[in-house]
Amino acid sequence: MSETVERTRSDRQWWEEAVVYQIYPKSFFDSDGDGIGDLAGITEKVDYLDALGVDAVWLCPVYDSPQADNGYDIRDYRSIFDTYGDMADWERLLAELHDRNIRLVMDLVVNHTSAEHEWFQHSRRGESEYADYYHWRDGRPAETADYDTDDGPADEVAPNNWDSIFGGPAWAYDEERGQWYLHLFDESQPDLNWENEAVREDVYEMMRWWLDRGIDGFRMDVINLVSKTPGLPDGDPESGLVGAEHFMNGPKVHDYLSELVAEAIPDDEILTVGETPGAGVEDAQRFVGEDGLSMVFQFEHVNVGHEGDKWSLEDYSLVELKESLARWQNGLADEGWNSLYLSNHDQPRTVSRFGDDGRYRRRSAKLFGTLLYTLQGTPFVYQGQEIGMTNAPFESKSELRDVESINFVEEAIESGAAESYEDVRDAVETVGRDNARTPMQWSDDENAGFTDGEPWLKVNPNYDAINVERARADPDSVWHYYRELGDLRGNRDLLVYGDFELLAPGDEQVFAYTRTLGDERALVVLNVSAEPATFAVPDDAGDDLELAIGNLNALETPGSTVELDPYEARVYLTPATDTDRPTTTNSDST
Ligand code: GLC
């Protein structure tokens, strides 16, 4: 990191300057031919991560789990899912990463456990110590409720009308205990009762146990769902997700999070990123301010274009996307810090969602890489994004593996909203989570070089053209462009700490902004459209600038207007100083 301009914040954090790479272990690399990725497979690829130039890995859950939700249903927080390996494999991975100065961030899933977790087993038997570890309630007499639930005794319905995020009611009836338990996700994922201090103590102790093993941070799964409105009242029946006002950003969420940080996080060196669906900028200011998290994963920008629920996605408006991102940039500029992401294991692939996964696939993949690395915040790259992987075709329901997508298809058919899979196929192929989870495309060998066995989820048939081997051999590839972006960001404080200012907010084609730090300035101009565009550079924005990186051959300095080809991206910077790395240009025809 260059020291040419003192950063204005009083202290620097490694995680502000880092690029984080997200690994979905099931789909990354299979070392033993069982068709499922594993820890030894990730260890084989640490040199790959090093070559890409990432500074940290966020590893999705690798804990012992029945895998109803691919590991987000944990049976034992202190052991490894045996298909992925064992604790020794995990330790080897950590050591290999640390040898290369790559840090490791583990997934922390504590809103819920698996129903197979021993706490739930004790709890469903009503054993006193664990009786209140989960949210247990008696049912409601059916005649007093204006909703239906199929489960449980004939004359009862669930205790309230809340929806599960994975479809259907948020309650399941347990025969053994003779009561209902709350599950905001699948019924095999009962919600922990954070009102119970013993639950919180157990969570903090488990976190300290992992920190003692040398990890560098936690990504905190749906952490803003842990507090529920006392009494668990009915939600607004007209709402898209009934009950959300009682379980998203609930009344004690800040108490619990600040307690968690105080009890389990020794210092700011530990990266803590809270996944916070439904949180607005003001909520986030508190999460990263008084509560003490490093940053949050917010959802507003990935939700642009969704009308109502997750499954109905319209073309998004660039103006709306810019407005949303700018609000977060500005809202967390002075207090706090942003995470930056465009895809992950729950979202569609970036080029399919925001760019063009056909004619302009490479160009739009580079354009969105440019956005990711030049906004203020910590970029998170999801596996495969660095080669421009795309959404996949799913020809029948039997090709799906994701519990959420399968529930959606089944419910659509049961409720009569769809006659067959064909009627919902488009929605699944547009937003279903399996799109992001198809195996990593390493080469054009069988199964994309991911496994010698039968892959647990189909490989995207485009692997012969889109794969790591090919991308690394081609200097104009998305992969090399990501590497160069990483170098550029790593060498200029400006791109990490500089102030953000959105230009031309109403422009429907061009996403343009400046970053400013002391005398240094960056101008980023992105044509987010398949048509040529012209951008008028504001008077004070263009002086002294030189092209630092772009996805096409471009002029070295911006004039008063910039003419952009479809999906063209350019980053102009004030000239590099002695300690800065030389600037680069990357050209690419499509
Ligand atoms: C988060 C995870 C997702 C999981 C859910 C329940 O949203 O990212 O994959 O299904 O929480 O744990």
Side-chain angles (χ1 to χ4, degrees), residues 183-200:
H183 61 88
L184 292 181
F185 294 90
D186 188 59
E187 69 172 77
S188 65
Q189 295 167 293
D191 278 52
L192 283 164
N193 175 15
W194 276 63
E195 293 280 334
N196 182 344
E197 202 180 325
V199 168
R200 307 203 301 276

Side-chain angles (χ1 to χ4, degrees), residues 69 72 109 112 166 185 189 219 221-222 275 345-346 433 437:
D69 188 20
Y72 283 95
V109 188
H112 45 270
F166 284 171
F185 294 90
Q189 295 167 293
R219 175 267 184 186
D221 192 61
V222 290
E275 188 203 24
H345 65 295
D346 296 328
R433 303 194 300 178
R437 299 173 180 188

Side-chain angles (χ1 to χ4, degrees), residues 111 162-165 184-185 191 222-229 239-254 275-280 283 287 299 303:
N111 174 67
W162 295 2
D163 284 337
S164 154
I165 291 164
L184 292 181
F185 294 90
D191 278 52
V222 290
I223 201 66
N224 65 328
L225 305 192
V226 294
S227 165
K228 282 85 180 173
T229 305
S239 133
L241 180 65
V242 178
E245 69 275 33
H246 295 302
F247 58 71
M248 277 181 176
N249 306 309
K252 289 201 182 147
V253 71
H254 297 291
E275 188 203 24
T276 55
D283 301 307
F287 290 132
F299 281 66
N303 285 341

Side-chain angles (χ1 to χ4, degrees), residues 24-32 36-42 44-45 440 442 449-451:
Y24 198 66
K26 209 163 212 171
S27 303
F28 194 60
F29 186 60
D30 174 22
S31 71
D32 60 6
I36 300 174
D38 46 48
L39 290 171
I42 301 171
E44 277 186 48
K45 298 294 185 186
M440 180 73 181
W442 294 104
F450 160 71
T451 180

Side-chain angles (χ1 to χ4, degrees), residues 183-402:
H183 61 88
L184 292 181
F185 294 90
D186 188 59
E187 69 172 77
S188 65
Q189 295 167 293
D191 278 52
L192 283 164
N193 175 15
W194 276 63
E195 293 280 334
N196 182 344
E197 202 180 325
V199 168
R200 307 203 301 276
E201 289 296 325
D202 271 343
V203 166
Y204 307 151
E205 198 187 309
M206 176 270 286
M207 293 174 71
R208 292 189 289 259
W209 188 89
W210 278 102
L211 287 165
D212 285 346
R213 268 149 197 81
I215 67 168
D216 305 292
F218 290 107
R219 175 267 184 186
M220 303 175 171
D221 192 61
V222 290
I223 201 66
N224 65 328
L225 305 192
V226 294
S227 165
K228 282 85 180 173
T229 305
L232 311 181
D234 279 343
D236 171 3
E238 300 304 317
S239 133
L241 180 65
V242 178
E245 69 275 33
H246 295 302
F247 58 71
M248 277 181 176
N249 306 309
K252 289 201 182 147
V253 71
H254 297 291
D255 297 343
Y256 294 155
L257 277 184
S258 49
E259 180 185 271
L260 173 151
V261 170
E263 295 288 324
I265 303 296
D267 55 52
D268 292 351
E269 280 280 289
I270 300 298
L271 185 167
T272 49
V273 50
E275 188 203 24
T276 55
V281 179
E282 281 170 18
D283 301 307
Q285 285 164 342
R286 284 186 71 182
F287 290 132
V288 299
E290 59 205 68
D291 300 349
L293 297 186
S294 315
M295 54 189 123
V296 299
F297 287 135
Q298 57 99 4
F299 281 66
E300 284 185 5
H301 68 296
V302 291
N303 285 341
V304 297
H306 281 285
E307 298 295 333
D309 70 10
K310 142 167 196 158
W311 297 100
S312 50
L313 181 63
E314 303 296 321
D315 284 348
Y316 73 92
S317 125
L318 180 67
V319 170
E320 214 183 298
L321 179 70
K322 293 194 291 188
E323 189 275 323
S324 168
L325 284 170
R327 195 153 29 77
W328 282 82
Q329 289 283 296
N330 297 329
L332 293 177
D334 298 327
E335 301 289 330
W337 191 251
N338 273 291
S339 77
L340 305 168
Y341 76 97
L342 294 167
S343 50
N344 61 33
H345 65 295
D346 296 328
Q347 297 290 331
R349 288 284 176 182
T350 303
V351 279
S352 304
R353 169 71 168 96
F354 293 111
D356 178 340
D357 60 9
R359 176 165 180 204
Y360 295 116
R361 183 190 65 85
R362 291 224 290 189
R363 234 192 257 177
S364 66
K366 291 177 183 179
L367 178 144
F368 282 102
T370 313
L371 178 67
L372 189 67
Y373 278 64
T374 61
L375 289 173
Q376 191 189 58
T378 302
F380 284 73
V381 178
Y382 178 63
Q383 66 184 42
Q385 188 173 350
E386 75 278 23
I387 54 169
M389 278 177 64
T390 67
N391 279 3
F394 294 100
E395 277 152 31
S396 66
K397 188 188 144 213
S398 65
E399 288 188 340
L400 303 177
R401 295 289 174 273
D402 170 30

